Amino acid sequence: MTPSETKAIVTLSLLAAFVDGEKHERERAEIKRIAEGLSQADGVNLPTIYQDVLMKRVSLASVAGELKSAESRQLAYEMAVCMCDADGVQSEPERLFLMDVRSSLGLDASAAQFSQRAEDIAAAVPAAVATSAAATPAAPQAPDSTELDRAILNAAILNGALELLPETLSTMAIIPLQMKLVYRIGQAHGYQLDTGHIKDFLATVGVGLTSQYLEQAGRKLLGGLLGKVGGGLLGGLGKQAVSSGMSFASTYALGHVAKRYYAGGRTLSTQMLKDAFSSVVKEGQGLQTQYLPAIQERARTLDTSQVLSLVKNA
């Protein structure tokens, strides 16, 4: 893939991130932070691209013109879809935008099928996590702390394994799996959480949904891993530094901070939650090396056909 194609894919991803115009300011700030923090590669200057998108100095037509190969057009579309679905099912502006993307890139019906698969993943939170449910405490419970610790570690290993896979949908699945982990921990402490509460919790500790996907997929793309097939997995297993194992660390931290938060009756302040998350992320990064063999072994057993069932059954 050429540098201009890589740049075009990133540009289209950012266009998709902002197409619905409803991003919270903190999510916009996270996207900007990630654009500034991702290393430059192949002449791709993310801060400049970010500004070009916000200032409307780029268009879908100009981006499409840079995508010469069938592989780059397909990958660009997949990343755009996942950016739209990262924070939930597509809004009407997002759906119309993706239709325009398919048309501009000259993609066939299989592209629409990919969009439906992404929608299924975005919608696959547990039935109990209903947006109409109230996030209120039920009768006090005494959850099994050891069992919760085991669930957190297993979720972190699974998300670390998904991070190693080259497929875009595998990367996208990390977010709903994190949401389901927080739901399970809240439920264990007597809280019936809705998806709005869980999204707010993730955002409060500093985990944006769209921005997290951008960071994970962006590191893969700039590292030359995203979209590869065949030997891509083996390449990923040998190039863990491409994404620094952040999905393992962030999932581990989310789980343990959620456990502390709900066990304490949700009394931690916003700053305390942010500080706790930052601290436990560092702990998770230290543990990632220890659990890398387990992450790699889990990755070898995964394929994209399992992603939706993993999210549904977690």
Side-chain angles (χ1 to χ4, degrees), residues 17-279:
F18 293 119
V19 70
D20 63 3
E22 296 180 357
K23 289 286 180 290
H24 191 283
E25 183 57 37
R26 63 190 175 193
E27 180 74 306
R28 287 177 175 267
E30 274 295 290
I31 292 173
K32 181 180 180 182
R33 179 189 66 79
I34 289 162
E36 292 173 345
L38 283 173
S39 60
Q40 296 181 25
D42 293 330
V44 178
N45 188 315
L46 281 171
T48 299
I49 296 173
Y50 175 85
Q51 290 299 324
D52 286 344
V53 169
L54 286 189
M55 299 299 292
K56 302 186 185 301
R57 291 192 290 252
V58 292
S59 66
L60 175 55
S62 64
V63 171
E66 295 295 327
L67 296 167
K68 308 299 184 184
S69 68
E71 177 191 37
S72 67
R73 291 194 295 272
Q74 180 66 31
L75 181 55
Y77 175 73
E78 290 182 7
M79 280 193 65
V81 168
C82 291
M83 289 295 287
C84 290
D85 280 285
D87 58 355
V89 295
Q90 296 161 18
S91 65
E92 184 64 10
E94 288 172 332
R95 189 183 66 80
L96 294 174
F97 172 76
L98 292 173
M99 287 177 60
D100 287 342
V101 173
R102 288 200 300 273
S103 176
S104 297
L105 297 181
L107 300 178
D108 59 22
S110 63
Q113 293 171 5
F114 177 90
S115 182
Q116 185 57 57
R117 291 169 65 196
E119 285 280 89
D120 291 342
I121 293 174
V125 291
V129 184
T131 53
S132 59
T136 53
Q141 299 180 31
D144 186 331
S145 180
T146 301
E147 178 60 29
L148 284 181
D149 287 347
R150 184 180 300 111
I152 292 168
L153 179 59
N154 287 339
I157 289 172
L158 173 58
N159 280 346
L162 288 168
E163 188 177 47
L164 291 179
L165 300 182
E167 294 85 3
T168 49
L169 284 181
S170 298
T171 305
M172 183 187 156
I174 291 169
I175 295 168
L177 286 170
Q178 289 176 338
M179 292 178 66
K180 292 187 75 170
L181 176 64
V182 172
Y183 172 79
R184 178 178 176 182
I185 292 168
Q187 186 181 52
H189 288 92
Y191 292 89
Q192 188 71 18
L193 309 178
D194 63 26
T195 54
H197 176 91
I198 297 171
K199 288 179 180 180
D200 283 344
F201 175 80
L202 266 65
T204 298
V205 302
V207 179
L209 304 182
T210 305
S211 55
Q212 184 179 192
Y213 179 81
L214 174 64
E215 183 169 31
Q216 293 161 347
R219 289 187 186 280
K220 284 186 180 181
L221 178 68
L222 297 179
L225 173 62
L226 189 63
K228 287 190 175 180
V229 295
L233 173 58
L234 294 179
L237 296 180
K239 292 173 63 178
Q240 180 69 9
V242 165
S243 52
S244 304
M246 282 305 299
S247 292
F248 174 90
S250 62
T251 304
Y252 181 87
L254 275 173
H256 281 286
V257 173
K259 181 183 173 187
R260 190 182 310 175
Y261 180 58
Y262 295 113
R266 301 194 300 174
T267 58
L268 296 178
S269 68
T270 295
Q271 192 57 52
M272 291 171 71
L273 282 171
K274 287 180 178 292
D275 291 345
F277 180 75
S278 178
S279 175

